[in-house]
Amino acid sequence: MEDKAICLDTTDWKILEALQKNARSTFTEIGQSVGLTAPAVRERIRRMESDELITGYRPVINYAVLGRPIRALIALKFKSGSRAADGTTLAHSELFNGLAGVVRWWFVTGDTECVLEAAAPSMKQLDATLETLNRWGFLTVTYMILDDSGEVNCRRL
């Protein structure tokens, strides 16, 4: 199935930026910042949702408040000859659902099979997660997240 491309004007881009800054902004607040009425903003947002440009609204979680201040990106590569190297273990993303501290993951191309984001209460817990991945047949490369800039606001592509 081919993705359809939609055309956005300058105002649409401003609305997207406003939503990225605060998805709970009212239509009136967004309208004031982009020079439209609340009904016009509502219609544009509904169109972007209908066109599947906007696919949801989610909270941004501060894992440190949950007692998990250590954040890491973990690149996974199959060990040569491991049980995981046949690819069957990555066929279903449920593999990582039960792994302590895993926040999300991405399947990627290139030398790495997958990248995980983890949030841990301590280095000991992060090491335990890495050991589990190693037992599952993965080599890991870990990058610590020292300061998260957050998602970059949308800009014209």
Side-chain angles (χ1 to χ4, degrees), residues 67-150:
R68 296 181 167 273
I70 298 172
R71 294 195 39 225
L73 292 177
I74 305 166
L76 301 180
K77 184 175 178 124
F78 294 130
K79 290 180 185 175
S80 178
S82 72
R83 189 172 53 91
D86 64 14
T88 57
T89 36
L90 284 183
H92 303 288
S93 60
E94 293 83 29
L95 174 68
F96 305 117
N97 278 343
L99 189 56
V102 172
V103 174
R104 71 177 122 190
W105 54 88
W106 301 268
F107 294 110
V108 297
T109 62
D111 292 339
T112 299
E113 275 68 60
C114 183
V115 174
L116 304 179
E117 179 182 354
S122 66
M123 288 301 293
K124 183 177 180 178
Q125 180 60 48
L126 181 59
D127 286 341
T129 300
L130 295 172
E131 287 174 21
T132 299
L133 291 166
N134 190 270
R135 281 194 311 274
W136 288 356
F138 295 106
L139 295 173
T140 61
V141 176
T142 306
Y143 303 92
M144 301 303 292
I145 301 172
L146 302 176
D147 185 23
D148 186 351
S149 66

Side-chain angles (χ1 to χ4, degrees), residues 14-78:
K14 289 179 182 176
I15 290 170
L16 284 174
E17 287 182 47
L19 287 171
Q20 281 188 298
K21 288 178 187 171
N22 182 3
R24 295 181 67 163
S25 295
T26 65
F27 296 135
T28 301
E29 292 168 339
I30 295 170
Q32 289 171 345
S33 71
V34 301
L36 291 177
T37 64
V41 169
R42 181 182 61 237
E43 180 57 35
R44 284 177 181 248
I45 291 174
R46 286 193 177 147
R47 178 180 44 87
M48 287 186 266
E49 291 169 342
S50 174
D51 289 341
E52 297 180 348
L53 173 64
I54 298 173
T55 59
Y57 301 88
R58 295 172 193 85
V60 177
I61 308 294
N62 180 348
Y63 293 99
V65 172
L66 293 173
R68 296 181 167 273
I70 298 172
R71 294 195 39 225
L73 292 177
I74 305 166
L76 301 180
K77 184 175 178 124
F78 294 130

